[in-house]
Amino acid sequence: MIKSVYIHIPFCNQICTYCDFPKMVYQDKWIHSYLEALNQEIKMNYQNESFKTIYIGGGTPSALSINEFKHMLNIVDQFKKEKDYEYTIECNIESLTEEKIKYMKMYGVNRISIGVQTFQEKNLELLNRHHQKDQVFSMVKLLKQYGLTNINIDLIYALPNETIDDVISDIEAFLKLEIPHISTYSLIIEPNTTLYIQKIQPIQEDLDEKMYRTICNMLKKNGYHHYEISNFSKPGYESKHNLTYWNNEEYYGFGLGASGYKHPIRYNNTKSLTNYCKGHFRLEQEVITPQIQMENEMILGLRKRQGVSRSHFIKKYGVPIESVFPIERLIQQKQLKMQGDFIFIPEDKIYISNDILVEFILEKTHS
Ligand code: SF4
C-alpha cells in the first residue's frame, strides 16, 4: 500500500545558476493548464490510499500567485491523510507571504522546506538567489508564530572561492535560526547549467571534504543528529518523506518530471510542459526485478547512518543480506560495520560512501 506522494510544481521566479531540476520561469499563462493536468494525472492514478507523507516540491511551489496556490492546495486536499501525517511544501523566501502561510495552516501543511543555500552575498549573486539574511530571519520567525515550527533549510557548500571560514559563518547563521532540520549539499556543477556554461570550476576535493567534516562537527556539537549522508535533524524531526525513499518504499510521483515507484514499476514523467499539459504524463518506466529491488534496498538504505536492518531484509526478501552482497569483505576492509541488527557505513567513511555503494550493484546478474 502506497503511503507517500510527491507533487512537482515546476515554476520558479528566477532560475538558479546551478539548477538542473525540471523547472521553468513562472508565467501565469501556464499555471491553470498545468494544475488541471496535475489534477487529471492524480485522478487517473490515486486509489484512495491514506498517506503518511505528502511533499510538494519543485521548482518553487510558493512562486504561484495566491489564487493559484489555493488551487494547488485544493487539488492536494483530495488525498486522505493518516493521523500523524507529515505534509511538506518547499518555499523560497522572496515568494512566501503571510497569506500563503495562513492557507498552508488551513490546509494542514505542517512542515516547510526553505532553499536558503548560503548567506554569503558574493555567492548568492553567483547562484542567482536574491534574498537577504534579515528576510530569512523574519520569515522563519513568522512561520514559527503560525505554529509552523517543523522547518528545513537547505545549505549549499563548496561554492566557488568559498573558504572554510565562509562555511563556518553560514553554519553559525543557520544555527541562530533554531530550526529542527538542515540539509546540506556540496555544489555539483551539472552540464547545461549556467555555472557549467560559464566554465566555473569546482573547488578542490580535499577542501570539499574539509568543509563537509566541519559542517558535520558543528551540527553534531549543536544537537543535530546526522541521520543521512546529507541530512541533519533534532531528535524526532527526521524527514519522514525522504525516509520513504531511503527505506526503498513505494510512493507516487505526480507532476512534470516527477518520479514514482509502485512495485514492480519505477517511472519517470515527461519533462516537456506541452506534453504534460496534453495529458501525456509518463516518459519511461522500468520493471524492478527482485535483484534490482535488493540493490536499491542497500544503495538507498546505507545512505542512512542507522544503515540497513538485517532482520528486515530477510523478512522482505527471504534471504540474508550476506548471501547476496559481499558484506564480510566490506567489513574486513572497514568500509562497513555491523552492530546488532544493523549494517552501516562507519562515520569516518561517509565522505566516500558513493565508492562503497557501487559495491552493491550486481551488474553481472542483470543481463
Ligand atoms: S528555485 Fe530551486 S528549482 Fe528553481 S531554479 Fe532555483 S534551485 Fe532550481
Side-chain angles (χ1 to χ4, degrees):
M1 172 82 80
I2 298 195
K3 292 277 175 201
S4 292
V5 58
Y6 172 81
I7 301 112
H8 193 77
I9 304 294
F11 307 102
C12 298
N13 298 111
Q14 74 274 321
I15 303 301
C16 305
T17 52
Y18 56 89
C19 181
D20 76 332
F21 301 129
K23 48 49 184 87
M24 61 214 54
V25 176
Y26 172 91
Q27 280 179 287
D28 55 3
K29 66 174 183 187
W30 280 108
I31 313 294
H32 184 76
S33 343
Y34 181 75
L35 292 176
E36 286 306 304
L38 178 69
N39 196 24
Q40 192 193 340
E41 189 196 2
I42 292 172
K43 294 230 178 295
M44 278 167 61
N45 294 282
Y46 175 51
Q47 288 174 357
N48 228 22
E49 298 93 338
S50 259
F51 291 132
K52 72 174 184 207
T53 75
I54 299 174
Y55 193 107
I56 310 183
T60 312
S62 62
L64 303 187
S65 74
I66 189 70
N67 285 333
E68 295 157 352
F69 196 72
K70 268 196 281 181
H71 186 178
M72 172 192 81
L73 290 169
N74 255 320
I75 291 171
V76 176
D77 207 39
Q78 68 191 286
F79 297 136
K80 285 206 268 176
K81 304 186 210 59
E82 284 193 351
K83 228 169 157 194
D84 57 343
Y85 70 89
E86 177 191 272
Y87 181 178
T88 308
I89 300 195
E90 284 181 359
C91 298
N92 81 4
I93 293 296
E94 300 99 298
S95 57
L96 186 55
T97 62
E98 187 161 1
E99 210 179 355
K100 287 177 192 169
I101 295 175
K102 282 184 188 162
Y103 276 108
M104 288 196 281
K105 275 298 282 185
M106 204 186 290
Y107 280 86
V109 175
N110 56 17
R111 187 171 183 271
I112 306 292
S113 180
I114 310 175
V116 171
Q117 325 308 0
T118 178
F119 285 115
Q120 304 154 35
E121 276 172 31
K122 60 175 183 189
N123 273 322
L124 276 173
E125 200 167 313
L126 181 88
L127 301 178
N128 197 27
R129 309 278 308 203
H130 300 288
H131 53 256
Q132 275 153 12
K133 197 170 174 176
D134 51 351
Q135 282 180 297
V136 178
F137 276 79
S138 10
M139 192 48 80
V140 167
K141 195 171 158 201
L142 189 63
L143 285 166
K144 287 182 185 173
Q145 278 167 8
Y146 276 91
L148 286 165
T149 51
N150 191 356
I151 300 170
N152 166 63
I153 290 199
D154 290 340
L155 160 82
I156 298 188
Y157 65 95
L159 301 166
N161 303 318
E162 194 174 31
T163 63
I164 289 283
D165 283 346
D166 292 331
V167 172
I168 292 174
S169 108
D170 263 353
I171 294 289
E172 280 168 349
F174 275 58
L175 289 171
K176 284 197 190 118
L177 288 166
E178 296 184 345
I179 40 140
H181 196 283
I182 297 179
S183 300
T184 62
Y185 305 97
S186 165
L187 178 73
I188 297 175
I189 301 174
E190 303 279 4
N192 301 322
T193 60
T194 311
L195 290 182
Y196 183 88
I197 294 159
Q198 289 170 342
K199 297 196 169 41
I200 302 286
Q201 295 303 311
I203 64 165
Q204 296 294 318
E205 177 134 5
D206 53 348
L207 181 57
D208 184 298
E209 180 171 355
K210 212 168 156 195
M211 288 176 176
Y212 180 72
R213 295 199 188 282
T214 304
I215 293 168
C216 294
N217 290 336
M218 283 182 77
L219 292 178
K220 204 166 149 185
K221 260 194 216 143
N222 284 279
Y224 287 87
H225 168 45
H226 187 184
Y227 72 102
E228 192 268 348
I229 297 175
S230 312
N231 286 277
F232 302 81
S233 81
K234 291 283 167 95
Y237 285 93
E238 295 83 6
S239 160
K240 290 183 194 165
H241 184 80
N242 286 343
L243 280 167
T244 305
Y245 304 144
W246 303 318
N247 288 333
N248 197 24
E249 289 164 0
E250 296 169 284
Y251 57 95
Y252 286 113
F254 296 128
L256 189 82
S259 309
Y261 173 36
K262 188 173 184 186
H263 196 71
I265 301 291
R266 277 193 183 267
Y267 62 87
N268 294 316
N269 274 356
T270 177
K271 292 182 181 173
S272 151
L273 184 63
T274 355
N275 284 346
Y276 189 84
C277 289
K278 281 185 193 152
H280 307 313
F281 305 124
R282 282 291 156 87
L283 174 67
E284 55 197 5
Q285 59 181 45
E286 179 193 10
V287 176
I288 302 297
T289 61
Q291 182 86 48
I292 303 175
Q293 198 187 1
M294 284 190 281
E295 288 177 4
N296 288 343
E297 189 83 21
M298 299 308 290
I299 292 168
L300 296 164
L302 287 171
R303 293 187 61 90
K304 295 175 294 173
R305 295 297 316 283
Q306 184 188 38
V308 175
S309 152
R310 292 153 72 212
S311 55
H312 177 75
F313 191 96
I314 295 196
K315 216 165 125 198
K316 194 162 171 185
Y317 299 104
V319 286
I321 299 184
E322 298 89 323
S323 71
V324 187
F325 299 104
I327 302 294
E328 271 171 38
R329 172 170 63 77
L330 292 168
I331 289 177
Q332 269 167 19
Q333 293 169 345
K334 301 200 181 327
Q335 304 208 316
L336 286 185
K337 248 186 170 174
M338 195 186 304
Q339 220 163 59
D341 186 35
F342 286 89
I343 292 175
F344 56 94
I345 297 178
E347 191 165 7
D348 63 327
K349 294 288 190 312
I350 296 175
Y351 186 75
I352 56 150
S353 47
N354 282 345
D355 301 340
I356 300 171
L357 296 176
V358 292
E359 297 277 355
F360 292 89
I361 300 173
L362 303 164
E363 290 158 305
K364 294 160 276 178
T365 41
H366 277 180
S367 50

